[in-house]
Every structure is written in structure tokens, then in C-alpha cells.
Amino acid sequence: MNPMDRLTVVILAAGEAKRMRSRQPKVLHPLCGRPLIAYPLRTARVLADRIVLVVGPDAEGVRAVAGGDVQIVEQRERLGTGHAVLQARAACGAGTVLVLAADMPLLSSETLERLVKHHRKTGAVATVLTAVVDRPQGYGRILRQSGRVKRIVEDRDATDDQKKIREINTSVYCFEARRLWKALAEIRPDNDQGEYYLTDAIGILAKAGGRIEALAAPDPVEALGINDRKQLAAVGGLQRRRILDRLMADGVTVLDPASTYIEDTVTIGPDTTVYPHVLIEGATTIGSDCVIGAGSHVSASQFGDRVTLKPYCIISDAVVEHDAVLGPFCHLRPGCHIGAKAKIGNFVEVKKSRIGRGSKANHLAYIGDATVGEDVNIGAGAITCNYDGSAKHATRIGDGAFVGTNTSLVAPLTIGEGAYIGSGSVITKDVPPGALAVERSPQVVKEGWAARRSAKHPRRDKDD
Ligand code: UD1
Ligand code: CA
């Protein structure tokens, strides 16, 4: 490749982000399940030959999420956006340098591709991506003379007249590398903040007679930058809607997009229906023809096809195989594997357990640190007593076993295949396959006892 045809994307992420009022770097704040920095990186990867990320000091977290294909340079002192780009010089080489701010996650790769194409076609020394917005407050304004871009003025340095301009700088630019470095060397920090502004490079290049182009973003929403938490929420809302639109286009029914929160990291198969007030987050995959009931919260889980989640289930870090039915009100804590066609019902809590194919725990049970075979029936109120006050112990229940209601299974414990546990038992010893285990005192029945008692102690009304 001719070095002049190379495209280097420089992403600026070293700002102090004072307006976030956070101990954490701005670009690590999550937006729909990914750190902010993940969005410009993803967009850049579509078209860049090389990616350079400018980070501030103490940015270990940012380095960690960047990925091996990204060259990282440090801006030790935060002296402004112009100074930040200068730090990337040695890493850039010749060709076109596309600069973008790390805090605008809605920017699309299509728009960047159009910007680069326009820049190269016109032979400009710099091309600015602009947007025409209703509320330009806070953004740099594009100043033109006889239609041509002359310079950019920052909001805080603008006159009242300049503040009325609605054409803003998105902070995305293409530069011809050699001319960029020359212009950056000339920037002076003579502005309200005393910083080296990248925006001044446009004025410097225009003054030197270079051709400056501007291209308007097709949708001004792409220009939205995140400087504070209010903007984080606003942009998050727009990104959330984009995710839902994508899922709906792929065949997922979302009954109420306004109350549905699905993160960018989630995939869902066609003909799955998502009911209102659902939150699905983390690395979650849901198959086709599933139902995600109202009010459910699913995180970092894998569902097969035709899984039904009845309303109000909380599922984290679980694998649920096809045709399983969960809920209403079931809680799968981390580390569960629910087999095909199994049923985990009302107010059942399961932790770090395997439940075999076709097994059922339909009501009010706790299953922890257990391996449950296939076609097992776990009665209402059955509990695995997995904790002895200092350590956790395992319970094994063989295929086809029947655990009666209200039993306590004191672990470590093995219940053999096809064994029966009588209702109300406290089981402390292993039960062999096919056996019946009952542990409770024999029932006493005294015929006529009630009449004899009331003869001795006549009942009185409460009011007496
Ligand atoms: C910047 C532009 C403004 C534009 C707006 C669009 C400048 C001077 N202003 O303003 O014209 O309308 O973006 O959103 O460029 N950064 C560094 N090092 C620094 C300072 C900033 O890496 O020393 C990074 C930040 O992390 C951020 C980006 O540069 O990702 C932009 O900085 P920010 O402070 O957000 O600039 P704005 O005030 O939004
Ligand atoms: Ca910004």
C-alpha cells in the first residue's frame, strides 16, 4: 500500500472529565453494557489501517480494554486536544489522520467512511465533520467566510453573535498528516482555558491558504458527546433504542421498547418475545422462540431455544437448555445449568447446581451445590442444607428420584437413582438406589380426644 493512502485513526481519551465528577476515567463508564471507549474503537476498526489511542496518566483500566491491535500513547499533562493529538505523532506515519474524540459513542462507521472519502476526493488539507443542531451550547462553532470554513471558535470563547451559529464541530476531523503536524506546532494556548486547542489547527491551515472542507453528519445525533452524567443517560437512552431496533429488525418481538433494557452485548434469536420491564445484560445469548416474562432480569446467561421465562425471574450466569420453563419468581444464582425441559417454578432458588433433563422443582425450594439427575421430582419446600456453618457440601440426587415435600437434605449426601424420600424428613445419611427413606416420628391418633378435652376445660369466648 502507498503510505499516502494509509488511514490512521487517532482517538482522544486523555481528558480529565471534570464534568463527570468521577474517580473513574470517563471512557470506562459503561453505556449499554460496554465501556464508552469500546464504541469508538469498534467504529475505528471498520476502516482504520492503524489505531492510536491517546490516554492520560493512570489509565491502566483504559489500556486493559483497548485490545492488542491498538497503539497506546500517553499524554502526561492534559494541555488540550491539540496537545493530545501531537502525542500521537510518532505513532502515526504518513497519509490521512482521522481524529475523533472518545466520548461520542453514537458516531457510525458509515459517516466516517463518507468523511474520509470526501476528504480524499476534494484533496483538502483538513475536513471537519460538522452537525447542525438546535442547541449548540457547549460545542465549538464553525465560522465561515463566503461559504468556506475559516476557523472554529469554542463556546466559552465565542461572542454572543457567534454563539447563535448552529453549525457545530463534532470533534471528528480528517487531516493530511504532514500539514497537521505543522499546524499543531503553531497552536498557542491563548484562550479562556489556556489549552492547546486542536480546533485552532483548522484556523491555522485555512490562513495558510489550505483547502478546508466540512461535511455535515447525516443525523446530528451522531455528534452527541458525553461530558457529564446527564448526557451519559441521554446518549444511553438513544443507544438502547438502537439496540432494540436492531433486535426487532432481526425478528425479536419487543412488546414495550420504552421499558425494556437490553445491553449491546446481548444476542437474541428470532421469534423470541420480550415482555415489558425486562433487563437483559452482560454476555447473554438467548435462542429462538423463547419468552422472557415481564419484570425479569437476566445477566451473563445462555438460553437454548424455546425457553420460557415466566414473569419476575432473576437469572445470573446460568446455562438453560432448550424447552426449560422457569418462574414465575425463580432465582438462579451464578453457576447453574438447567437441563432441557426442566421446570424451576415459583419461589425456587438454585445456586451452583446442575438440574438434569426433565427434572422439576415447582415450588418453594432451595437447591445449592447439587447435582440433580434426569426426571427427578423435588417437592415443595425441599431444601439442600449445603452449609454447616463453615464449609459448603454437595448433594447428589440420582435419575428418577422423588424428594417429598418439606424435606431437608443435609449435605454431603447422595440419593440413589429412583429412591423416594418421605415428606418432612431430615435426611442425613446416603440413600441407596430404589430405596425409601423416611425420617419422622410415627403419627399418633387419639380417637375422641377433643370431646374429652372440652368436657374438662370448657371453651370460653374470647370476650369473657
Ligand atoms: C471538543 C471541541 C469542540 C467540539 C466538541 C464536540 C476542542 C478544543 N473542542 O470540546 O469544538 O464541539 O469537542 O464534542 O477540541 N482530551 C485529551 N486531552 C486533553 C483534552 C481532551 O485527550 O488534554 C480528549 C478528551 O478525553 C475527549 C476529547 O479529547 O475525548 C474532547 O475533549 P473534551 O474536553 O470533551 O472537549 P469538549 O469541551 O467537548
Ligand atoms: Ca466532549
Side-chain angles (χ1 to χ4, degrees):
M1 182 195 260
N2 182 337
M4 292 311 287
D5 294 337
R6 261 180 163 324
L7 178 68
T8 303
V9 177
V10 176
I11 303 174
L12 304 183
E16 231 173 333
K18 295 191 201 92
R19 291 165 278 184
M20 289 294 281
R21 296 183 183 276
S22 175
R23 277 184 304 243
Q24 180 170 230
K26 175 164 77 179
V27 294
L28 291 183
H29 279 259
L31 184 97
C32 297
R34 295 189 195 278
L36 270 181
I37 188 65
Y39 292 91
L41 285 173
R42 178 165 70 183
T43 310
R45 280 190 180 108
V46 176
L47 67 164
D49 296 308
R50 193 193 280 129
I51 300 174
V52 182
L53 178 64
V54 184
V55 301
D58 312 317
E60 283 320 305
V62 184
R63 287 170 194 268
V65 297
D69 58 333
V70 177
Q71 248 179 291
I72 294 184
V73 298
E74 190 176 301
Q75 183 192 20
R76 286 200 188 87
E77 278 182 288
R78 287 151 162 137
L79 300 179
T81 46
H83 180 258
V85 175
L86 207 47
Q87 311 311 303
R89 181 174 183 169
C92 279
T96 306
V97 177
L98 171 58
V99 177
L100 47 110
D103 62 356
M104 38 194 310
L106 299 179
L107 182 67
S108 69
S109 56
E110 289 79 17
T111 296
L112 288 186
E113 267 162 352
R114 285 184 53 198
L115 183 77
V116 174
K117 219 166 161 189
H118 184 91
H119 177 75
R120 286 180 169 165
K121 197 180 69 197
T122 57
V125 293
T127 305
V128 188
L129 183 71
T130 64
V132 178
V133 298
D134 292 334
R135 278 183 294 164
Q137 290 80 7
Y139 290 101
R141 309 298 204 287
I142 306 294
L143 304 188
R144 290 177 181 260
Q145 216 172 53
S146 343
R148 306 229 52 101
V149 176
K150 278 295 156 206
R151 68 186 180 97
I152 297 171
V153 62
E154 286 306 289
D155 187 65
R156 55 205 306 165
D157 301 311
T159 63
D160 287 346
D161 269 353
Q162 290 168 338
K163 280 189 176 155
K164 288 184 195 136
I165 296 171
R166 289 168 49 233
E167 188 186 16
I168 59 124
N169 168 29
T170 61
S171 213
V172 178
Y173 326 74
C174 272
F175 292 98
E176 195 273 298
R178 212 165 32 89
R179 301 292 291 274
L180 170 65
W181 310 126
K182 222 169 143 249
L184 287 180
E186 290 176 35
I187 291 176
R188 296 288 163 262
D190 49 6
N191 49 58
D192 183 56
Q193 295 201 96
E195 288 186 358
Y196 293 85
Y197 283 169
L198 174 60
T199 44
D200 286 351
I202 298 296
I204 290 166
L205 290 169
K207 219 177 214 169
R211 175 168 183 168
I212 311 293
E213 282 290 315
L215 184 78
D219 184 354
V221 145
E222 291 196 47
L224 288 177
I226 295 173
N227 298 312
D228 56 34
R229 296 193 197 233
K230 213 172 138 184
Q231 289 167 329
L232 181 68
V235 171
L238 294 166
Q239 177 63 15
R240 180 165 71 85
R241 185 60 211 228
R242 282 187 177 186
I243 294 166
L244 296 175
D245 287 347
R246 168 171 52 79
L247 289 169
M248 290 188 275
D250 290 347
V252 178
T253 296
V254 179
L255 291 176
D256 180 27
S259 72
T260 305
Y261 292 75
I262 300 181
E263 289 190 341
D264 200 67
T265 43
V266 174
T267 56
I268 305 183
D271 287 320
T272 285
T273 299
V274 180
Y275 277 77
H277 299 287
V278 160
L279 169 57
I280 308 176
E281 58 181 5
T284 294
T285 308
I286 291 175
S288 333
D289 297 295
C290 294
V291 174
I292 309 299
S296 291
H297 180 177
V298 180
S299 60
S301 294
Q302 270 58 59
F303 286 15
D305 297 335
R306 298 175 304 281
V307 168
T308 299
L309 211 60
K310 293 183 180 172
Y312 303 104
C313 291
I314 300 180
I315 313 287
S316 17
D317 196 7
V319 175
V320 180
E321 289 192 48
H322 65 89
D323 298 291
V325 180
L326 309 178
F329 298 103
C330 98
H331 185 187
L332 300 189
R333 288 167 52 202
C336 290
H337 186 119
I338 310 297
K341 297 185 177 170
K343 287 191 174 157
I344 307 293
N346 303 264
F347 303 103
V348 174
E349 174 184 348
V350 189
K351 187 216 90 176
K352 215 173 162 189
S353 294
R354 272 189 96 84
I355 310 290
R357 185 188 175 88
S359 289
K360 294 177 189 157
N362 273 334
H363 336 263
L364 299 159
Y366 171 64
I367 305 168
D369 303 303
T371 308
V372 177
E374 299 186 356
D375 297 314
V376 169
N377 189 84
I378 299 200
I383 306 282
T384 55
C385 309
N386 58 333
Y387 184 51
D388 62 10
S390 54
K392 298 278 167 73
H393 302 284
T395 302
R396 296 176 170 280
I397 303 177
D399 294 347
F402 183 98
V403 178
T405 56
N406 234 24
T407 52
S408 300
L409 304 174
V410 181
L413 188 67
T414 299
I415 293 168
E417 279 182 29
Y420 278 69
I421 309 296
S423 169
S425 300
V426 177
I427 301 295
T428 54
K429 290 183 220 131
D430 289 354
V431 179
L436 166 68
V438 197
E439 187 282 331
R440 58 183 184 228
S441 22
Q443 184 170 326
V444 176
V445 176
K446 298 186 177 174
E447 296 278 354
W449 180 87
R452 292 199 294 280
R453 181 183 189 273
S454 53
K456 238 198 256 172
H457 307 285
R459 266 201 207 170
R460 276 189 280 164
D461 277 348
K462 263 205 309 233
D463 300 340
D464 290 353

mmCIF file of all heavy atoms in Angstrom, residues 35-71:
data_model
loop_
_atom_site.group_PDB
_atom_site.id
_atom_site.type_symbol
_atom_site.label_atom_id
_atom_site.label_comp_id
_atom_site.label_asym_id
_atom_site.label_seq_id
_atom_site.Cartn_x
_atom_site.Cartn_y
_atom_site.Cartn_z
ATOM 1 N N PRO A 35 -17.875 -0.347 28.049
ATOM 2 C CA PRO A 35 -17.262 0.932 28.412
ATOM 3 C C PRO A 35 -17.320 1.870 27.209
ATOM 4 O O PRO A 35 -17.216 1.420 26.063
ATOM 5 C CB PRO A 35 -15.824 0.552 28.761
ATOM 6 C CG PRO A 35 -15.593 -0.774 28.133
ATOM 7 C CD PRO A 35 -16.919 -1.461 28.062
ATOM 8 N N LEU A 36 -17.480 3.158 27.477
ATOM 9 C CA LEU A 36 -17.593 4.146 26.399
ATOM 10 C C LEU A 36 -16.534 3.975 25.317
ATOM 11 O O LEU A 36 -16.821 4.078 24.130
ATOM 12 C CB LEU A 36 -17.437 5.554 26.985
ATOM 13 C CG LEU A 36 -18.700 6.254 27.453
ATOM 14 C CD1 LEU A 36 -18.354 7.628 27.976
ATOM 15 C CD2 LEU A 36 -19.672 6.357 26.288
ATOM 16 N N ILE A 37 -15.305 3.685 25.732
ATOM 17 C CA ILE A 37 -14.200 3.601 24.779
ATOM 18 C C ILE A 37 -14.404 2.474 23.757
ATOM 19 O O ILE A 37 -13.865 2.519 22.653
ATOM 20 C CB ILE A 37 -12.839 3.423 25.523
ATOM 21 C CG1 ILE A 37 -11.641 3.528 24.569
ATOM 22 C CG2 ILE A 37 -12.777 2.136 26.294
ATOM 23 C CD1 ILE A 37 -11.474 4.877 23.936
ATOM 24 N N ALA A 38 -15.192 1.471 24.105
ATOM 25 C CA ALA A 38 -15.407 0.350 23.185
ATOM 26 C C ALA A 38 -16.100 0.799 21.898
ATOM 27 O O ALA A 38 -15.900 0.209 20.837
ATOM 28 C CB ALA A 38 -16.238 -0.742 23.863
ATOM 29 N N TYR A 39 -16.909 1.858 21.990
ATOM 30 C CA TYR A 39 -17.669 2.282 20.806
ATOM 31 C C TYR A 39 -16.773 2.913 19.735
ATOM 32 O O TYR A 39 -16.808 2.461 18.581
ATOM 33 C CB TYR A 39 -18.815 3.208 21.219
ATOM 34 C CG TYR A 39 -19.881 2.464 22.007
ATOM 35 C CD1 TYR A 39 -19.819 2.378 23.387
ATOM 36 C CD2 TYR A 39 -20.921 1.821 21.357
ATOM 37 C CE1 TYR A 39 -20.768 1.681 24.112
ATOM 38 C CE2 TYR A 39 -21.888 1.116 22.065
ATOM 39 C CZ TYR A 39 -21.814 1.048 23.446
ATOM 40 O OH TYR A 39 -22.756 0.342 24.144
ATOM 41 N N PRO A 40 -15.963 3.945 20.065
ATOM 42 C CA PRO A 40 -15.103 4.482 19.004
ATOM 43 C C PRO A 40 -14.102 3.444 18.498
ATOM 44 O O PRO A 40 -13.763 3.444 17.314
ATOM 45 C CB PRO A 40 -14.386 5.660 19.667
ATOM 46 C CG PRO A 40 -14.579 5.484 21.126
ATOM 47 C CD PRO A 40 -15.852 4.732 21.299
ATOM 48 N N LEU A 41 -13.658 2.544 19.367
ATOM 49 C CA LEU A 41 -12.715 1.513 18.903
ATOM 50 C C LEU A 41 -13.384 0.608 17.875
ATOM 51 O O LEU A 41 -12.823 0.296 16.833
ATOM 52 C CB LEU A 41 -12.199 0.681 20.086
ATOM 53 C CG LEU A 41 -11.162 1.364 20.987
ATOM 54 C CD1 LEU A 41 -10.877 0.503 22.210
ATOM 55 C CD2 LEU A 41 -9.862 1.624 20.210
ATOM 56 N N ARG A 42 -14.622 0.224 18.160
ATOM 57 C CA ARG A 42 -15.350 -0.645 17.231
ATOM 58 C C ARG A 42 -15.560 0.069 15.895
ATOM 59 O O ARG A 42 -15.391 -0.519 14.833
ATOM 60 C CB ARG A 42 -16.696 -1.022 17.866
ATOM 61 C CG ARG A 42 -17.565 -1.876 16.974
ATOM 62 C CD ARG A 42 -18.694 -2.528 17.740
ATOM 63 N NE ARG A 42 -19.701 -1.587 18.176
ATOM 64 C CZ ARG A 42 -20.756 -1.925 18.911
ATOM 65 N NH1 ARG A 42 -20.929 -3.176 19.291
ATOM 66 N NH2 ARG A 42 -21.638 -1.037 19.273
ATOM 67 N N THR A 43 -15.922 1.346 15.968
ATOM 68 C CA THR A 43 -16.169 2.117 14.745
ATOM 69 C C THR A 43 -14.867 2.269 13.953
ATOM 70 O O THR A 43 -14.847 2.108 12.733
ATOM 71 C CB THR A 43 -16.718 3.506 15.129
ATOM 72 O OG1 THR A 43 -17.790 3.308 16.029
ATOM 73 C CG2 THR A 43 -17.225 4.259 13.930
ATOM 74 N N ALA A 44 -13.773 2.562 14.681
ATOM 75 C CA ALA A 44 -12.485 2.779 14.009
ATOM 76 C C ALA A 44 -12.004 1.514 13.315
ATOM 77 O O ALA A 44 -11.452 1.565 12.214
ATOM 78 C CB ALA A 44 -11.441 3.250 15.025
ATOM 79 N N ARG A 45 -12.236 0.370 13.940
ATOM 80 C CA ARG A 45 -11.715 -0.892 13.388
ATOM 81 C C ARG A 45 -12.273 -1.190 12.009
ATOM 82 O O ARG A 45 -11.656 -1.899 11.223
ATOM 83 C CB ARG A 45 -12.056 -2.049 14.332
ATOM 84 C CG ARG A 45 -11.101 -2.114 15.487
ATOM 85 C CD ARG A 45 -11.228 -3.367 16.332
ATOM 86 N NE ARG A 45 -10.257 -3.291 17.407
ATOM 87 C CZ ARG A 45 -10.564 -3.065 18.687
ATOM 88 N NH1 ARG A 45 -11.827 -2.968 19.057
ATOM 89 N NH2 ARG A 45 -9.622 -2.974 19.584
ATOM 90 N N VAL A 46 -13.465 -0.664 11.710
ATOM 91 C CA VAL A 46 -14.082 -0.932 10.412
ATOM 92 C C VAL A 46 -13.236 -0.353 9.276
ATOM 93 O O VAL A 46 -13.185 -0.928 8.194
ATOM 94 C CB VAL A 46 -15.515 -0.346 10.373
ATOM 95 C CG1 VAL A 46 -16.161 -0.524 9.013
ATOM 96 C CG2 VAL A 46 -16.373 -0.987 11.465
ATOM 97 N N LEU A 47 -12.571 0.794 9.525
ATOM 98 C CA LEU A 47 -11.884 1.427 8.395
ATOM 99 C C LEU A 47 -10.407 1.738 8.580
ATOM 100 O O LEU A 47 -9.732 2.059 7.606
ATOM 101 C CB LEU A 47 -12.649 2.688 7.957
ATOM 102 C CG LEU A 47 -12.719 3.888 8.896
ATOM 103 C CD1 LEU A 47 -13.162 5.100 8.102
ATOM 104 C CD2 LEU A 47 -13.691 3.682 10.031
ATOM 105 N N ALA A 48 -9.899 1.600 9.809
ATOM 106 C CA ALA A 48 -8.529 2.073 10.056
ATOM 107 C C ALA A 48 -7.468 1.070 9.606
ATOM 108 O O ALA A 48 -7.655 -0.135 9.715
ATOM 109 C CB ALA A 48 -8.352 2.355 11.540
ATOM 110 N N ASP A 49 -6.325 1.601 9.107
ATOM 111 C CA ASP A 49 -5.156 0.756 8.898
ATOM 112 C C ASP A 49 -4.366 0.671 10.191
ATOM 113 O O ASP A 49 -3.608 -0.254 10.416
ATOM 114 C CB ASP A 49 -4.258 1.352 7.805
ATOM 115 C CG ASP A 49 -4.969 1.365 6.467
ATOM 116 O OD1 ASP A 49 -5.477 0.300 6.068
ATOM 117 O OD2 ASP A 49 -5.055 2.435 5.841
ATOM 118 N N ARG A 50 -4.561 1.696 11.034
ATOM 119 C CA ARG A 50 -3.810 1.767 12.280
ATOM 120 C C ARG A 50 -4.649 2.569 13.269
ATOM 121 O O ARG A 50 -5.288 3.552 12.882
ATOM 122 C CB ARG A 50 -2.509 2.496 11.987
ATOM 123 C CG ARG A 50 -1.478 2.409 13.071
ATOM 124 C CD ARG A 50 -0.364 3.402 12.852
ATOM 125 N NE ARG A 50 0.651 3.049 11.892
ATOM 126 C CZ ARG A 50 1.036 3.858 10.885
ATOM 127 N NH1 ARG A 50 0.480 5.020 10.712
ATOM 128 N NH2 ARG A 50 1.986 3.474 10.058
ATOM 129 N N ILE A 51 -4.661 2.167 14.537
ATOM 130 C CA ILE A 51 -5.422 2.915 15.544
ATOM 131 C C ILE A 51 -4.469 3.353 16.645
ATOM 132 O O ILE A 51 -3.708 2.542 17.184
ATOM 133 C CB ILE A 51 -6.550 2.048 16.158
ATOM 134 C CG1 ILE A 51 -7.537 1.587 15.080
ATOM 135 C CG2 ILE A 51 -7.299 2.826 17.258
ATOM 136 C CD1 ILE A 51 -8.592 0.625 15.564
ATOM 137 N N VAL A 52 -4.493 4.633 16.961
ATOM 138 C CA VAL A 52 -3.673 5.170 18.051
ATOM 139 C C VAL A 52 -4.624 5.766 19.087
ATOM 140 O O VAL A 52 -5.495 6.571 18.757
ATOM 141 C CB VAL A 52 -2.696 6.257 17.539
ATOM 142 C CG1 VAL A 52 -1.813 6.754 18.687
ATOM 143 C CG2 VAL A 52 -1.846 5.725 16.390
ATOM 144 N N LEU A 53 -4.446 5.329 20.316
ATOM 145 C CA LEU A 53 -5.322 5.803 21.390
ATOM 146 C C LEU A 53 -4.497 6.661 22.348
ATOM 147 O O LEU A 53 -3.474 6.214 22.860
ATOM 148 C CB LEU A 53 -5.912 4.587 22.117
ATOM 149 C CG LEU A 53 -6.820 4.835 23.314
ATOM 150 C CD1 LEU A 53 -8.090 5.571 22.887
ATOM 151 C CD2 LEU A 53 -7.198 3.499 23.968
ATOM 152 N N VAL A 54 -4.932 7.898 22.549
ATOM 153 C CA VAL A 54 -4.217 8.796 23.456
ATOM 154 C C VAL A 54 -4.891 8.730 24.826
ATOM 155 O O VAL A 54 -6.075 9.045 24.957
ATOM 156 C CB VAL A 54 -4.229 10.251 22.932
ATOM 157 C CG1 VAL A 54 -3.390 11.150 23.840
ATOM 158 C CG2 VAL A 54 -3.726 10.322 21.493
ATOM 159 N N VAL A 55 -4.130 8.276 25.829
ATOM 160 C CA VAL A 55 -4.697 8.148 27.176
ATOM 161 C C VAL A 55 -3.943 9.057 28.149
ATOM 162 O O VAL A 55 -2.811 9.464 27.885
ATOM 163 C CB VAL A 55 -4.640 6.690 27.696
ATOM 164 C CG1 VAL A 55 -5.393 5.753 26.761
ATOM 165 C CG2 VAL A 55 -3.194 6.218 27.865
ATOM 166 N N GLY A 56 -4.569 9.330 29.267
ATOM 167 C CA GLY A 56 -3.943 10.146 30.300
ATOM 168 C C GLY A 56 -3.104 9.284 31.217
ATOM 169 O O GLY A 56 -3.030 8.061 31.051
ATOM 170 N N PRO A 57 -2.468 9.904 32.218
ATOM 171 C CA PRO A 57 -1.751 9.101 33.205
ATOM 172 C C PRO A 57 -2.757 8.286 34.032
ATOM 173 O O PRO A 57 -3.942 8.631 34.041
ATOM 174 C CB PRO A 57 -1.043 10.145 34.068
ATOM 175 C CG PRO A 57 -1.461 11.490 33.586
ATOM 176 C CD PRO A 57 -2.411 11.345 32.464
ATOM 177 N N ASP A 58 -2.314 7.260 34.678
ATOM 178 C CA ASP A 58 -3.199 6.394 35.486
ATOM 179 C C ASP A 58 -4.345 5.831 34.671
ATOM 180 O O ASP A 58 -5.487 5.863 35.110
ATOM 181 C CB ASP A 58 -3.783 7.154 36.692
ATOM 182 C CG ASP A 58 -2.721 7.903 37.452
ATOM 183 O OD1 ASP A 58 -1.645 7.310 37.663
ATOM 184 O OD2 ASP A 58 -2.955 9.076 37.817
ATOM 185 N N ALA A 59 -4.075 5.372 33.482
ATOM 186 C CA ALA A 59 -5.168 4.867 32.642
ATOM 187 C C ALA A 59 -5.027 3.372 32.427
ATOM 188 O O ALA A 59 -5.322 2.860 31.354
ATOM 189 C CB ALA A 59 -5.186 5.618 31.323
ATOM 190 N N GLU A 60 -4.583 2.666 33.475
ATOM 191 C CA GLU A 60 -4.390 1.211 33.352
ATOM 192 C C GLU A 60 -5.664 0.532 32.866
ATOM 193 O O GLU A 60 -5.630 -0.350 32.016
ATOM 194 C CB GLU A 60 -3.946 0.616 34.696
ATOM 195 C CG GLU A 60 -2.489 0.864 35.025
ATOM 196 C CD GLU A 60 -1.572 0.731 33.808
ATOM 197 O OE1 GLU A 60 -1.614 -0.324 33.152
ATOM 198 O OE2 GLU A 60 -0.820 1.681 33.510
ATOM 199 N N GLY A 61 -6.790 0.964 33.416
ATOM 200 C CA GLY A 61 -8.085 0.372 33.046
ATOM 201 C C GLY A 61 -8.380 0.555 31.571
ATOM 202 O O GLY A 61 -8.901 -0.350 30.909
ATOM 203 N N VAL A 62 -8.037 1.731 31.054
ATOM 204 C CA VAL A 62 -8.301 2.009 29.635
ATOM 205 C C VAL A 62 -7.402 1.126 28.770
ATOM 206 O O VAL A 62 -7.850 0.522 27.790
ATOM 207 C CB VAL A 62 -8.074 3.498 29.308
ATOM 208 C CG1 VAL A 62 -8.436 3.791 27.861
ATOM 209 C CG2 VAL A 62 -8.867 4.390 30.255
ATOM 210 N N ARG A 63 -6.129 1.023 29.145
ATOM 211 C CA ARG A 63 -5.204 0.157 28.409
ATOM 212 C C ARG A 63 -5.745 -1.271 28.360
ATOM 213 O O ARG A 63 -5.663 -1.947 27.343
ATOM 214 C CB ARG A 63 -3.833 0.113 29.080
ATOM 215 C CG ARG A 63 -3.028 1.380 28.906
ATOM 216 C CD ARG A 63 -1.801 1.336 29.813
ATOM 217 N NE ARG A 63 -1.197 2.644 29.932
ATOM 218 C CZ ARG A 63 -0.216 3.092 29.150
ATOM 219 N NH1 ARG A 63 0.283 2.306 28.225
ATOM 220 N NH2 ARG A 63 0.253 4.300 29.296
ATOM 221 N N ALA A 64 -6.279 -1.705 29.484
ATOM 222 C CA ALA A 64 -6.734 -3.095 29.597
ATOM 223 C C ALA A 64 -7.880 -3.408 28.641
ATOM 224 O O ALA A 64 -7.967 -4.530 28.145
ATOM 225 C CB ALA A 64 -7.152 -3.393 31.033
ATOM 226 N N VAL A 65 -8.745 -2.444 28.344
ATOM 227 C CA VAL A 65 -9.879 -2.775 27.465
ATOM 228 C C VAL A 65 -9.583 -2.469 25.993
ATOM 229 O O VAL A 65 -10.377 -2.800 25.121
ATOM 230 C CB VAL A 65 -11.189 -2.050 27.884
ATOM 231 C CG1 VAL A 65 -11.636 -2.476 29.252
ATOM 232 C CG2 VAL A 65 -11.055 -0.536 27.786
ATOM 233 N N ALA A 66 -8.415 -1.851 25.703
ATOM 234 C CA ALA A 66 -8.172 -1.371 24.339
ATOM 235 C C ALA A 66 -7.982 -2.484 23.307
ATOM 236 O O ALA A 66 -8.473 -2.387 22.198
ATOM 237 C CB ALA A 66 -6.969 -0.444 24.328
ATOM 238 N N GLY A 67 -7.285 -3.547 23.658
ATOM 239 C CA GLY A 67 -7.055 -4.606 22.675
ATOM 240 C C GLY A 67 -5.682 -4.486 22.042
ATOM 241 O O GLY A 67 -5.121 -3.388 21.933
ATOM 242 N N GLY A 68 -5.147 -5.606 21.597
ATOM 243 C CA GLY A 68 -3.768 -5.705 21.120
ATOM 244 C C GLY A 68 -3.500 -4.961 19.827
ATOM 245 O O GLY A 68 -2.348 -4.644 19.511
ATOM 246 N N ASP A 69 -4.544 -4.670 19.045
ATOM 247 C CA ASP A 69 -4.336 -4.010 17.751
ATOM 248 C C ASP A 69 -4.241 -2.485 17.880
ATOM 249 O O ASP A 69 -4.134 -1.783 16.884
ATOM 250 C CB ASP A 69 -5.494 -4.359 16.808
ATOM 251 C CG ASP A 69 -6.848 -3.953 17.369
ATOM 252 O OD1 ASP A 69 -6.985 -3.896 18.611
ATOM 253 O OD2 ASP A 69 -7.765 -3.678 16.577
ATOM 254 N N VAL A 70 -4.298 -1.987 19.126
ATOM 255 C CA VAL A 70 -4.337 -0.537 19.337
ATOM 256 C C VAL A 70 -3.001 -0.066 19.898
ATOM 257 O O VAL A 70 -2.489 -0.641 20.854
ATOM 258 C CB VAL A 70 -5.472 -0.179 20.323
ATOM 259 C CG1 VAL A 70 -5.486 1.309 20.622
ATOM 260 C CG2 VAL A 70 -6.811 -0.637 19.764
ATOM 261 N N GLN A 71 -2.446 0.963 19.282
ATOM 262 C CA GLN A 71 -1.209 1.552 19.814
ATOM 263 C C GLN A 71 -1.595 2.611 20.822
ATOM 264 O O GLN A 71 -2.423 3.470 20.522
ATOM 265 C CB GLN A 71 -0.448 2.208 18.677
ATOM 266 C CG GLN A 71 0.843 1.503 18.331
ATOM 267 C CD GLN A 71 1.513 2.210 17.181
ATOM 268 O OE1 GLN A 71 0.984 2.159 16.071
ATOM 269 N NE2 GLN A 71 2.623 2.859 17.448
#
